[in-house]
Amino acid sequence: MADMDLHGQCLEKFKRAFRTTNPYVRCGLAEFLGTAILILFGCGSVAQMELSGFAKAQFLSVNMAFGFAVTAGAYVCAGVSGAHLNPAVSFSMYLLKKMTCELMIVYFVAQFLGSFFGACLVFALYFDALHVYSGGNWTVYGPQATAGIFASYPSEHLSVTNGFSDQVIATAALMICLLAIIDEKNNAAPRGLQPFVIGLIVLLVGLSMGFNCGYPINPAQDLAPRFFTAIAGWGPEVFR
């Protein structure tokens, strides 16, 4: 019993030492962790599909993984930050005057860093498989290309104009559905079920709008891992 009491006291001291009431720190850490979870599960599913030659996963399973990755990430941080996990969502909340400009910037930075960290985790998780699959030659295009595991790239048929309209339509559809789900004056989903329903919306977007370029409707989800691949060996080609 004495050992248990001592353990409890040490745990309480540890919690007090690292506890913070600063909303910027709390929300930033929450968004960082939630976005990292999103990328780990989402991009991890793409890695499993690509590196196994579609033997261990298919496009449908990737869509499902990203939808439930959003759900998992949201449940991790919704109670603290509201689980934006997406700069487009944070910017919309700012335009709707639901958050300040300063807090929006904190969310942007946390989401970008969390996404970058999530890409690092996926790279570490599948490091050996990446080497075997590509022979250690990180490429963006071609039969053994692996950059698409971490970020979205356009299909050969896609023009810049169509790519732009693709993202406007997909992101607008996401935001309309998301705002409807959380609108208390509408037929809002119960608060505890909102992350699950939002995950279903992301799944729906992937199933209906993923052909052109993989529905990169989250700027942090696409841009931060793209920076990671540029640093990790794929080079500046990831931005071309």
Side-chain angles (χ1 to χ4, degrees):
M1 289 294 294
D3 290 340
M4 292 180 62
D5 290 340
L6 181 61
H7 176 75
Q9 292 174 5
C10 291
L11 184 61
E12 279 300 317
K13 289 180 180 179
F14 181 83
K15 288 168 62 177
R16 284 197 297 269
F18 287 93
R19 181 180 293 146
T20 177
T21 58
N22 187 312
Y24 294 98
V25 176
R26 286 171 54 83
C27 290
L29 289 174
E31 287 293 307
F32 172 89
L33 183 57
T35 310
I37 291 293
L38 163 60
I39 298 302
L40 175 60
F41 288 139
C43 291
S45 71
V46 182
Q48 183 165 273
M49 179 183 71
E50 294 285 349
L51 300 178
S52 70
F54 290 77
K56 301 296 184 181
Q58 302 293 325
F59 187 61
L60 173 60
S61 61
V62 170
N63 287 319
M64 294 179 66
F66 264 108
F68 290 121
V70 169
T71 296
Y75 274 123
V76 165
C77 64
V80 177
S81 67
H84 293 188
L85 308 179
N86 185 339
V89 175
S90 299
F91 184 61
S92 298
M93 294 298 108
Y94 168 70
L95 292 179
L96 294 171
K97 300 187 184 302
K98 294 183 181 294
M99 66 187 313
T100 65
C101 180
E102 293 80 5
L103 190 57
M104 178 187 70
I105 293 172
V106 170
Y107 274 54
F108 282 179
V109 173
Q111 290 156 1
F112 182 90
L113 293 177
S115 186
F116 189 93
F117 182 66
C120 294
L121 293 178
V122 173
F123 183 75
L125 182 66
Y126 283 107
F127 183 77
D128 288 345
L130 280 163
H131 265 280
V132 170
Y133 181 80
S134 64
N137 182 25
W138 311 138
T139 56
V140 179
Y141 291 104
Q144 302 301 113
T146 48
I149 291 171
F150 300 92
S152 299
Y153 293 88
S155 298
E156 293 183 1
H157 70 270
L158 192 67
S159 66
V160 173
T161 302
N162 194 185
F164 179 80
S165 63
D166 175 278
Q167 288 309 288
V168 170
I169 293 169
T171 307
L174 171 68
M175 288 307 307
I176 290 170
C177 293
L178 188 151
L179 291 173
I181 289 168
I182 64 175
D183 186 0
E184 297 296 337
K185 297 180 180 179
N186 192 14
N187 187 22
R191 187 172 297 275
L193 286 178
Q194 287 177 358
F196 178 74
V197 178
I198 292 170
L200 291 180
I201 298 302
V202 174
L203 171 60
L204 181 60
V205 171
L207 291 174
S208 59
M209 307 179 195
F211 175 59
N212 282 333
C213 53
Y215 64 108
I217 51 179
N218 184 333
Q221 172 188 316
D222 188 79
L223 185 59
R226 196 179 299 272
F227 271 106
F228 169 76
T229 51
I231 296 169
W234 282 263
E237 184 66 22
V238 299
F239 294 108
R240 301 196 185 108

